Each structure stands twice: as C-alpha cells, then as structure tokens.
Amino acid sequence: MRADLIVEWGVAVKRAIPWPSTVNGVVWGGTYETSLARRLPRQLFAPVPSVDAGVLVVRRRTTPLVPVELAEEFRRFVAAGFRRGVSHVARARANGLVKPGTPARDLDAHAWARLFLESAGRR
C-alpha cells in the first residue's frame, strides 16, 4: 500500500527525515516508510501559495518493525522514553543498543523497535 501526498515543503521534509525523531514519527515509522519524491515550486499552483510543496511518499512496511498486536504497548514505551529518557525504559541499553545519555530524539524507529523488543524479551 502506498500514498503519494502533496504537502507543504517543510512538512514533507520533516516527515521524510527520520532525525531528530518525535514520538509520532517513531510510532508511525514502525509501520510505514516515508520518503521525499520531489519538490514542487509554488509557481505550479494557482493561486500561487507562499511556499513550495513536496511529494511525500508513504508506504506500509511489508513486515512492521513491531508486531501489530504490540503496537499500543510500543507507543506507550516510546512515549515514556521521550518523557523520562531512554535509560528509564530500555533495559537493553546494557546490551549496547544505545549509549548512556542518548537523547530519545536521536533514535529512529528501527532503534526504538530493537530497544522495545529487547527490553520486552521478544527478540
């Protein structure tokens, strides 16, 4: 499944780049991949908007990073990690998955999924 969306350029860039991450970006990244297909100059539109647009491509992952039945638990895990810090939620940091003091926003969806699965003993 794929969606090509025309959105404001800044939104397209923010959603296509995995870092720095946000809770929603990480959670969505567990199920979807995003990429930036192209920039659309504002002069292509009528009336001409104040900013350029971009084509944001969203694809559902064939295999989610976290099993679907654990999606809500994963969301809570990531949200707690952003609120309290990665070290408060991820026992797996001792296994070398993250360095002590790593900011939550520096981890992408892949890293968060590994931490979640390792911390939950599901890997």
Side-chain angles (χ1 to χ4, degrees):
M1 180 150 74
R2 172 184 164 147
D4 290 34
L5 309 170
I6 296 176
V7 296
E8 184 179 301
W9 177 249
V11 172
V13 169
K14 182 177 180 180
R15 294 294 166 224
I17 297 174
W19 293 287
S21 63
T22 63
V23 172
N24 286 335
V26 168
V27 172
W28 272 70
T31 304
Y32 301 97
E33 294 176 287
T34 58
S35 61
L36 186 56
R38 65 180 290 203
R39 188 175 193 140
L40 300 171
R42 61 181 165 256
Q43 292 79 9
L44 295 176
F45 299 92
V48 177
S50 60
V51 295
D52 290 345
V55 178
L56 179 65
V57 178
V58 181
R59 289 183 187 91
R60 182 184 298 266
R61 293 181 187 281
T62 305
T63 303
L65 300 179
V66 172
V68 174
E69 63 272 12
L70 299 176
E72 182 55 30
E73 188 178 341
F74 178 58
R75 186 198 63 74
R76 287 192 305 271
F77 178 85
V78 172
F82 270 80
R83 263 193 325 274
R84 299 188 338 237
V86 176
S87 62
H88 289 285
V89 297
R91 291 177 287 167
R93 65 183 163 23
N95 294 338
L97 293 176
V98 295
K99 295 178 183 174
T102 298
R105 67 189 211 110
D106 286 357
L107 304 177
D108 68 358
H110 292 274
W112 275 106
R114 283 194 313 273
L115 282 173
F116 172 73
L117 295 171
E118 188 76 25
S119 292
R122 293 185 172 97
R123 197 151 208 253

